[in-house]
Amino acid sequence: MTDQPQRLFAAVDSLLAAVDGGTVLPTPAERVRLREAAGLTQAAVAQALGTRVPSVEAWEVGRAEPTGERLEAYRRLLEGLAQRHPVPAPPSGSRPATPLESPAAPPVRASKRTVTTPHTVPPAQDVSRTPAPALPKATPAVDSPFPNGPLAVLDAEGTAYCPGGVLLECPAATIPQLADWALKQSGLGAVRLHRHGKDSDPLIVLTAQAAARFGLPPALEDRRALRLADNHPVVRELACAKWKLTRRGFGPWARVYRPAEGGRRQCVQLAVLPWEALDTRTWGSAGQLSAPEVAQVLGDYATRLITPRGSAAVCGLELMTALRPPTRPVKDPATDTWMSGPNAGALTQAVDPAPPEAPDEHPVVAARYPRGHQRTLAEVLDEEAFEWIRDPEQLTDDECVKPFAVGIDVNMAFAAAVNRLTVGLGAPVHANRPRFDKKMPGSWLVDLSHIDLDTRLPNPFTPHGLRPEGPAWYATPTVAYAAELGYEITPLEAWMRLESGSYLDGWYTRLRDAYLATMERLGVSAGMNEADFLAAMEHHKDTDPAQAAVLSAIKATVKGGIGKLRERPQGAGYRPGERWPALERPTWRPDIRAAVIATARVNMHRKMLKLAATGLFPIAVLSDCAVYLSDGPTPLDFLPRTPEGKPLPGGFRLGVSPGMVKHEGTQSLMWAVKMLDEGHNPARHIKGTDAAAGGE
């Protein structure tokens, strides 16, 4: 690799010769101007620099910057193009633009004193924001109520880095002063996602150095509660300044607020990076990036989904509420005044679950059963994802000569499951021996044990994939699938929700758009053919680590948001049978969680059944991943086709969209058989190179 710089420079010199013979880069808009002036395509630049087109696209919109050798090579290219294509002379009487200034970019007022972006703007000039590409809820315009975007990352010197390269000066010396600045001077925030919703509060992210500057410890001593003690000086400072903290206190994600003033919220969200606000399971290594990079990662997430305000699970739940607020203004005809009323189609109030839907700790369970009672499947709803392996004795001679075990994974399986899903909006109503209605959300006590299905497939009515042993509670999607398979359904009992709607449709749409936009940034687009898709997926996370972090967070938002619908009690002091805070949320809805998981499991089985009709049976299934034996190492080697060469209708299809599948991993036949013999699930381990260990 020692000749890499020379090879890159030679490629750039060759490119400059074709069109006509430091460390500071021009603004993104100027990069585009120079390339277009030379008649070069992004593909030509990417080829010369030994990178991919999506990376060049990201550089040209300011969402990423080249590093290392490519930074030097890209600068060399732009300098060469600038000599051949200088900035056109401005009209008479106008101020000329500098070589590093975008002539078309509007200025953004950063603070009382002008603060410059080191890599784009020379001293004494305004910071310019580069327009973002078309994405859901794009970066606010300068004339918006929040001209500087949704958030800022603060360093030790008082510089606040915003998405898009905007820099602000923050003079605050204490956390109360920081909150005042964020609300009154920063220009931070985000416009509401629904006309009856609320604008997003400004988010201030504190780096380790900034946290130390404000007197915060480098780590939280209370590892159980994850919050500062009530007598900590910072907490006392907030109280003295009349700021309040929410119930979770001052932790990695702290919300400080005052009563609304003039009808406007006074609330600021803080994220403390050294306290692991950016969980590595959700954000990867984003918490270790520089302040500008963190600002861009979180800004992209905020622009495409919602301003972060906690864990991915919290964000998933907050996104539901932001897209379908529980209330809206209504006029009281008696007084001709406006008041708050329920918003149609939303979850408007907290309701208790039906007894089978409630977790064991819930008061409705404690009131129904004696303490210590172990509920059976005839007493509890058990809708969970598949975890199943095939009996190795069932492997046929034809299967045992296939050398590979290939895993396929459904993209955004739980997000795809909520698309057009009808869920209950109100409290459950009990009925004995009702007639089953597939359009009625609810929980049904039904005996499906008589249904005889091929044991080479997991049984769709249980998470473990074995035949049910008697009557059990099921969510509507599971019972509807039994009816779809042609079996008579005779419920013994039901808890139905008479008021229903597609509550999660908007949630799905926003998550889908955010996911697809991020995947496109990583070089994977919806229009790819299958071979190109598989090739792009091999290294898509290496294309842009920052965008890979955004992708990870989007996926975690889906799973975390669904899981949060049945949040269990937390804290050592909790006693079963007591209520816990989550129960007071309209979005505490275990029945909706059950319906989503049931739909995802049924969707998975429906596609496996289509493949089974062609003689293909999985050897293992884990949630949204299925493992098949194959003659070749890729999904293209076993996924069936029509006589016209198209993917089998109704089966698994390769592609980036939610509900389509990607390659999860490949191992040898012997590895897979050994896993089955030892009782391990190959789907759990097929992705990793250490899978042969067979550990859980």
Side-chain angles (χ1 to χ4, degrees), residues 10 43 52 55 67 137 282 288 295 313 360 398 415 430 453 466 566 581:
R52 303 177 63 188
S55 295
T67 58
K137 298 292 181 183
T282 297
Q288 307 302 317
D360 290 340
D398 288 343
H430 184 259
L453 299 174
L466 303 178
R566 196 187 67 167

Side-chain angles (χ1 to χ4, degrees), residues 194-197 327-332 337-343:
H194 188 283
R195 64 194 181 101
H196 299 318
T327 61
R328 66 183 181 91
V330 296
K331 182 169 284 190
D332 184 350
T337 58
W338 290 96
M339 56 186 295
S340 179
N343 187 22

Side-chain angles (χ1 to χ4, degrees), residues 525-542:
S525 60
M528 286 181 157
N529 64 47
E530 292 175 322
D532 289 344
F533 167 72
L534 290 175
M537 288 296 293
E538 284 293 319
H539 305 290
H540 73 288
K541 293 183 180 179
D542 301 326

Side-chain angles (χ1 to χ4, degrees), residues 410-413 415-416 508 511-512 515-516 655-660:
V410 179
N411 302 320
M412 300 273 282
Y508 163 75
L511 283 160
R512 177 203 64 196
Y515 167 76
L516 291 176
V656 69
S657 297
M660 301 178 79

Side-chain angles (χ1 to χ4, degrees), residues 279-362:
D279 188 336
T280 55
R281 293 169 298 180
T282 297
W283 295 96
S285 60
Q288 307 302 317
L289 298 175
S290 66
E293 291 171 318
V294 173
Q296 201 57 58
V297 168
L298 296 182
D300 285 344
Y301 179 91
T303 298
R304 298 170 200 174
L305 280 185
I306 192 171
T307 303
R309 58 192 70 181
S311 67
V314 169
C315 292
L317 215 58
E318 293 282 353
L319 182 61
M320 294 179 196
T321 303
L323 293 167
R324 284 286 182 95
T327 61
R328 66 183 181 91
V330 296
K331 182 169 284 190
D332 184 350
T335 61
D336 198 35
T337 58
W338 290 96
M339 56 186 295
S340 179
N343 187 22
L347 302 178
T348 59
Q349 60 182 348
V351 296
D352 277 342
E357 298 164 352
D360 290 340
E361 305 92 338
H362 199 282

Side-chain angles (χ1 to χ4, degrees), residues 400-418:
C400 288
V401 298
K402 298 180 183 294
F404 298 102
V406 181
I408 52 175
D409 181 79
V410 179
N411 302 320
M412 300 273 282
F414 292 115
V418 308

Side-chain angles (χ1 to χ4, degrees), residues 7 56 70 77 120 143 181 184 191 231 297 309 325 335 339 358 382 391 432 437 560-561 581 600 611 628 645 662 669:
R7 184 182 65 80
V56 177
R70 285 192 177 88
L77 168 64
T120 59
D143 59 354
W181 173 83
K184 299 175 183 178
V191 177
N231 61 355
V297 168
R309 58 192 70 181
T335 61
M339 56 186 295
D382 185 30
D391 184 347
N432 284 312
D437 181 355
L611 267 64
Y628 285 85
K662 61 180 181 293
L669 168 68

